[in-house]
Amino acid sequence: MKTVKVGVLGLGTVSRGAVEILATNATEISRRCGADIQVTHAVVRDQSKARAYLDEQGYSITLMDDASALVTHADVDIVCEAMGGMEPARTLLLQALSAGKHVVTANKALIALHGNELFQCARDNKVSVLFEPAVAGGIPIIKAVREGLAANRIESLAGIINGTGNFILSEMSSKGREFAEVLAEAQALGYAEADPSFDVDGIDAAHKITILASMAFGIPLQFERTLIEGISSIDKLDVGYAAELGYVIKHLGVARRRDEGIEVRVHPTLIPSDKLIANVNGVLNAVLVQGDAVGSTLYSGAGAGGGATGSAVVADIIDIARAMPGALAVPPLAFEDLEATPVLEASDYRCRYYLRAQVQDRPGVIAEISRILGDAGISIQALLQHPSEDKMVPVVLLTGAVREGDLAQALARIAALDVVSGTPVRLRVEHFD
Ligand code: NAP
Ligand code: HSE
């Protein structure tokens, strides 16, 4: 049986998950790919850090202090990158590919920003770059979009694709826990990014939806065009009103094809509470893909953590081992040639909206707001106002689908009314229809 040797960059949550799976399921994995897969070399940042599990479990991994030497080592066939960040990861992977090594990476930030360059380098050197662990943890969504749904023209893709954010929102809404406490737990469990603001501010989800959008529509990676809003703007008040209206609030990544171009966005979203995806909680992720032939398909599973992500790393290593010595036939972004279909300006996106404005409780106020929305061609689909003794009361509205730029102008006019206090809250609504 052939032996396939893996060198790992980083030995943290993800790599440790992969190393342990490769050891625990070694026999099963060899039967699957006809190869004995061994992790032979690793590079870490701090060699003095205790890594007792390596000795206790009898792994014979040579720790190197020179990452360039690892990625070009004659005894390494596949370089597995789970160190994170842009540099030195980018330079090391370009070195690895140029040296004829196949690459597996969990680094979604790197793929979203430098994937086009890495894929070209892989193509030039006739090797593979796989990145299943980069999106939605253990869910094989890359393989599903790239291969399983290859027959389809994909119309849209929407998902809960940040485990930390979903864990925080779920714990806060179901148990009333505080944001900072839940975030600290997500960090301790190995879910969060090295800089957790990537999770909270939607940047991590934006990296992932950028990758999924490219693979769904066959366009180059364009992270800079992705609209990004995080979870910190979500107010408990809106969670309550959303529930009254039959919705839950989730942080969603959405990529949708329209006649004029493509929308790629991440933001807090109201989802009808009877949809399966609305009930995906904790660290779970879920991705809904709409294909013209297959219809609607939903994929769910653990979105972060060593076991789930390690599972995706090992699946990629097995795919490469099966194809070795050559590169895999599947193109990294699912299409042999990428199109120039534009990602639209955010002001041209179309969505339904949830609006909450703090208004004076007196006759004519709702009429004034309705008139402004009516002037902008925006229909009101639901309206909620509770009786109150207070002078200022919240008014909650659900709108029909509207162009983002038109909504912004109407909201500015509403905010300028004497009877309105502060800036109205604006959240997007998705019905997946
Ligand atoms: P982690 O636990 O912090 O591990 C990072 C590892 O990389 C550590 O072993 C660290 O060394 C090493 N490292 C960092 N910078 C280095 C450098 N400049 N030179 C050499 N080694 C370096 O991170 P992680 O959670 O495994 O995440 C790694 C990557 O996977 C990130 O790109 C992340 O976005 C992605 N990812 C993570 C998850 C998850 O659930 N955690 C899921 C999917 C994807 P020390 O051990 O010495 O500090
Ligand atoms: N920090 C990421 C998350 C890790 O919580 O989803 C998995 O990509």
Side-chain angles (χ1 to χ4, degrees):
M1 189 183 293
K2 67 181 171 188
T3 299
V4 171
K5 296 187 176 169
V6 180
V8 296
L9 297 173
L11 265 181
T13 304
V14 172
S15 295
R16 179 174 172 172
V19 165
E20 292 187 342
I21 292 166
L22 282 168
T24 309
N25 295 343
T27 308
E28 193 82 359
I29 289 168
S30 299
R31 286 178 56 216
R32 285 186 190 277
C33 64
D36 176 25
I37 298 173
Q38 292 176 7
V39 178
T40 53
H41 297 80
V43 168
V44 291
R45 186 170 31 202
D46 177 4
Q47 288 223 17
S48 67
K49 207 187 260 184
R51 296 174 212 272
Y53 75 98
L54 289 178
D55 298 330
E56 282 161 14
Q57 297 178 25
Y59 296 114
S60 63
I61 300 176
T62 306
L63 281 189
M64 300 173 68
D65 52 15
D66 181 352
S68 293
L70 181 148
V71 299
T72 53
H73 200 290
D75 246 2
V76 167
D77 303 305
I78 301 174
V79 171
C80 172
E81 187 267 314
M83 64 203 294
M86 291 301 141
E87 290 293 352
R90 173 184 155 273
T91 301
L92 289 170
L93 294 194
L94 289 171
Q95 273 179 0
L97 296 167
S98 303
K101 314 295 181 189
H102 301 282
V103 162
V104 173
T105 178
N107 191 337
K108 47 277 169 122
L110 184 66
I111 293 293
L113 273 77
H114 296 291
N116 298 324
E117 180 187 21
L118 290 168
F119 300 147
Q120 187 56 50
C121 185
R123 194 182 284 258
D124 293 346
N125 290 284
K126 300 185 172 48
V127 286
S128 297
V129 181
L130 293 191
F131 48 91
E132 186 68 70
V135 182
I139 306 172
I141 189 64
I142 299 289
K143 206 170 185 70
V145 173
R146 185 164 50 200
E147 297 173 48
L149 298 175
N152 289 263
R153 175 179 162 90
I154 294 178
E155 304 297 349
S156 69
L157 189 150
I160 298 168
I161 47 178
N162 181 267
T164 302
N166 201 38
F167 181 67
I168 293 172
L169 286 181
S170 308
E171 290 289 305
M172 285 175 70
S173 63
S174 66
K175 301 181 188 155
R177 293 179 65 193
E178 289 303 321
F179 181 94
E181 175 200 322
V182 190
L183 173 59
E185 187 180 344
Q187 289 178 291
L189 290 167
Y191 300 159
E193 293 303 299
D195 175 353
S197 70
F198 275 45
D199 298 292
V200 173
D201 294 340
I203 298 162
D204 178 74
H207 290 144
K208 293 166 178 167
I209 199 69
T210 298
I211 297 170
L212 289 176
S214 286
M215 301 181 69
F217 307 124
I219 56 172
L221 295 152
Q222 299 166 65
F223 175 70
E224 67 287 354
R225 302 303 306 266
T226 298
L227 180 150
I228 311 174
E229 290 178 16
I231 59 172
S232 45
S233 59
I234 301 175
D235 191 315
K236 276 186 184 165
L237 206 59
D238 298 311
V239 174
Y241 283 125
E244 272 190 63
L245 290 161
Y247 294 85
V248 294
I249 301 182
K250 292 287 186 188
H251 191 252
L252 222 60
V254 180
R256 174 165 293 129
R257 190 199 290 276
R258 299 218 335 255
D259 290 345
E260 309 80 6
I262 289 164
E263 298 184 0
V264 190
R265 46 190 165 89
V266 296
H267 45 71
T269 313
L270 273 73
I271 306 175
S273 48
D274 59 356
K275 298 279 178 190
L276 278 176
I277 195 168
N279 299 294
V280 169
N281 293 315
V283 73
L284 290 181
N285 281 190
V287 184
L288 194 62
V289 187
Q290 186 79 30
D292 64 345
V294 71
S296 186
T297 60
L298 179 69
Y299 310 81
S300 180
T309 314
S311 159
V313 170
V314 173
D316 276 354
I317 292 173
I318 289 172
D319 268 359
I320 292 173
R322 283 172 172 152
M324 272 176 68
L328 288 159
V330 285
L333 288 178
F335 289 76
E336 289 292 350
D337 62 327
L338 302 178
E339 283 181 1
T341 313
V343 176
L344 296 168
E345 291 293 333
S347 56
D348 286 328
Y349 289 2
R350 283 185 71 80
C351 220
R352 295 177 167 101
Y353 283 88
Y354 161 103
L355 307 175
R356 173 169 60 81
Q358 194 72 4
V359 304
Q360 280 179 24
D361 192 9
R362 67 167 172 75
V365 170
I366 289 184
E368 274 190 82
I369 293 175
S370 306
R371 186 177 43 75
I372 293 175
L373 293 175
D375 287 351
I378 301 169
S379 70
I380 297 174
Q381 300 202 326
L383 192 148
L384 192 67
Q385 185 191 344
H386 293 306
S388 167
E389 298 300 314
D390 297 337
K391 281 194 182 142
M392 300 299 290
V393 291
V395 167
V396 174
L397 293 165
L398 291 180
T399 75
V402 50
R403 196 181 146 272
E404 179 119 359
D406 295 341
L407 191 276
Q409 282 183 7
L411 262 191
R413 287 183 62 197
I414 291 172
L417 292 173
D418 290 345
V419 291
V420 172
S421 140
T423 308
V425 170
R426 176 218 55 167
L427 295 168
R428 295 170 186 83
V429 181
E430 282 291 340
H431 284 197
F432 309 111
D433 49 21

